[in-house]
Amino acid sequence: MKLFTNKTQRNAKLLRCAAIGMTLIFFGAAIFMTNPSKLIGDWQISLGPSTLLYKLWLYPPLDVYITVYMFNYTNVDAFIDGTDAKLKVEEVGPYVYQEVLSNHNVTLNYHNNTITYTPRREYIFVPERSVGDPKVDRIRAPNIPYMGVSTQAASLSMFAALGLSALAKRLNAQPMLEVTVHDYMWGYEDHLVHLASKFVPSLIDFSSFGIMEKLFREGNESNVVNMHLVEPKDRHGVKLPGAPRAYSLHSVNYERGFKRWEYDEATNGTHCNRIWGSHDATLFPRDMNEHDTFYVYRRTFCRLLPMRFNRTLTFKGLDAYEYVMDPKIFDSELHSPNSSCFCKNNQCLKRGVGNVSPCYYNMPLAITYPHFMHADPTLLRAFDGLNPNESRFTSTVMLQPQLGVPLHVHVRLQANQVVGNIKFNRLMEPFENLVLPLLWVDLTIENLPMSLQLLTHALKYALPILQLVIAASLLLGGLYQLIAAFMLCFWSPPAGLHKAELGEKSINVLGNLALATSLHKATSPECVPPEAQKLLPNDDAYRLEM
């Protein structure tokens, strides 16, 4: 009975070790095969109800700054009267504003895998980063509405041009203004603009004008953006072919392209006038490679800005891809399908000067790199004080390629006044056919907030390492249990059990033998006193009586 019990215990222990070992190996292999850390990461960094990315996206914690440098014209009077051959400009700044973004009126459209929302941006002055108080500091700079109207007058009839010139003279409009930096950026009263808003409200619906107001705040409360969500996948986890890229724009204000640049819905347009497929610079592509190019859209640019891969590097412990804007991004050619739409009336601006007038009430404005970098060298001939510098003015976007998280961003662009042919306006004649720099801005993300840094490190490194440790521990633990079961089955149980049983039997035999020997000696005649012995009926047997 004892031997049967030991065998049952041995079998139970063997089965227990085998079951535990197989279970541990199953879960360890399942972790390796399913990669749960990636599944959890993909879920949490997708836009959906209750995901971490969705909560962060509603009120992005990124510290986005717009650094503004104004151009102050210091010799306007001498240039107008012909004393000076060149305009002297000095760069004044920086004046820094923090851009605070929030997304509202959010609707998830499951039928076409998109999300619709209204982005709202506030701009808060940051005095500790600025050179002075923009409400106190004064500059002399081009009168943008007046110069715009004067340029447009050249295309009017002689009588209309004369009438407009007379009206401007009666209003005492001047080509150059002396105003505070704040008013020039965010709005100053102009009699010509005020009058135009009264008589042609369909063309000009504002009574004051500020260059930053038009570039960044225009339509801030009403823009409706429709964006694609993460690409759908098949049952094997492979992205479906032809699916739009994650977080790329589908439309803005229900338009998939710039109608002002003659976007054709039937042909899906070209890179010259598309909006769809670009990114709004809040969410970037994921799982990028070194051959990727992506496009950034902001209404400010009035076009898409292509970002091309430049190099790989490490930024604060994270692997990163650096993308740069193409030097030829603002070139336009009549025979290029990707830039011909920027040439109005079959006329293109000079190399490196991008037309944006259709986005700003057809006022002759243009966008370039700061200080006319990468532009036609003749643009610099009219100025003293401009110094193109690639190390200072190159635009770069540094992303974590797997997660698409922006690590470090500098997008540097300059707004300019384009002056064309002038008719019947003596004050404007010295500025004829010039491109006048107004200001340049640097849209900056310097560092990720600590919360996003920890999240990025956790998703990229901590979770995969923790997963590897857990999976390896499960596999090793399971292997150990299987080896123990194997030993119990083939080696340990027979040898150990036989020795134990044999030892136990030997002890019992030896014990019984010793007991018998002792009893025999104890009952032998030599060991019993004579008075205690009694002869039994048989002569060869004795009984001890105490």
Side-chain angles (χ1 to χ4, degrees), residues 256-257 259 262-270 273-274 276:
R256 303 193 71 209
K259 287 188 176 179
E262 301 173 356
Y263 173 76
D264 185 1
E265 188 77 38
T267 62
N268 283 328
T270 67
N273 49 30
R274 288 177 186 163
W276 64 266

Side-chain angles (χ1 to χ4, degrees), residues 19 21 24 73 132 154 204 361 401 431 513:
L24 293 177
Y73 289 72
I204 298 179
Y361 304 92
F431 304 99
L513 183 58

Side-chain angles (χ1 to χ4, degrees), residues 38-56:
K38 186 177 187 305
L39 296 177
I40 294 172
D42 288 345
W43 170 48
Q44 285 299 318
I45 59 175
S46 62
L47 281 182
S50 303
T51 64
L52 181 60
L53 180 64
Y54 181 79
K55 296 175 182 178
L56 293 174

Side-chain angles (χ1 to χ4, degrees), residues 320-342:
Y321 284 1
E322 182 183 74
Y323 292 80
V324 298
M325 282 203 305
D326 193 319
K328 297 181 180 180
I329 188 176
F330 301 119
D331 295 356
S332 51
E333 300 177 3
L334 280 174
H335 303 294
S336 171
N338 290 325
S339 64
S340 60
C341 74
F342 301 130

Side-chain angles (χ1 to χ4, degrees), residues 145-273:
Y146 174 73
M147 285 192 170
V149 169
S150 299
T151 297
Q152 290 176 330
S155 61
L156 303 177
S157 66
M158 181 182 69
F159 294 104
L162 282 171
L164 189 60
S165 178
L167 176 62
K169 187 175 181 179
R170 183 175 182 82
L171 294 173
N172 195 28
Q174 297 294 319
M176 289 286 180
L177 297 172
E178 185 176 347
V179 292
T180 66
V181 170
H182 179 272
D183 288 347
Y184 197 75
M185 286 195 289
W186 302 109
Y188 60 89
E189 294 292 334
D190 183 270
H191 296 299
L192 193 60
V193 171
H194 181 74
L195 188 64
S197 67
K198 296 293 185 183
F199 288 95
V200 283
S202 60
L203 296 178
I204 298 179
D205 59 359
F206 52 88
S207 59
S208 64
F209 184 88
I211 183 63
M212 287 287 289
E213 176 76 22
K214 297 305 173 191
L215 291 176
F216 289 96
R217 280 184 176 168
E218 187 81 7
N220 189 34
E221 301 294 327
S222 59
N223 289 320
V224 178
V225 178
N226 186 244
M227 180 175 66
H228 294 286
L229 297 174
V230 174
E231 303 98 326
K233 300 178 182 179
D234 61 19
R235 58 191 181 90
H236 301 293
V238 179
K239 296 176 183 177
L240 296 179
R245 195 162 193 177
Y247 309 134
S248 63
L249 296 181
H250 176 267
S251 65
V252 176
N253 293 329
Y254 310 102
E255 296 180 1
R256 303 193 71 209
F258 294 95
K259 287 188 176 179
R260 300 175 182 90
W261 294 128
E262 301 173 356
Y263 173 76
D264 185 1
E265 188 77 38
T267 62
N268 283 328
T270 67
H271 290 304
C272 187
N273 49 30

Side-chain angles (χ1 to χ4, degrees), residues 289-302:
N289 59 57
E290 297 180 1
H291 304 288
D292 270 338
T293 294
F294 64 93
Y295 295 82
V296 174
Y297 167 82
R298 286 283 292 266
R299 196 202 67 87
T300 302
F301 313 141
C302 199

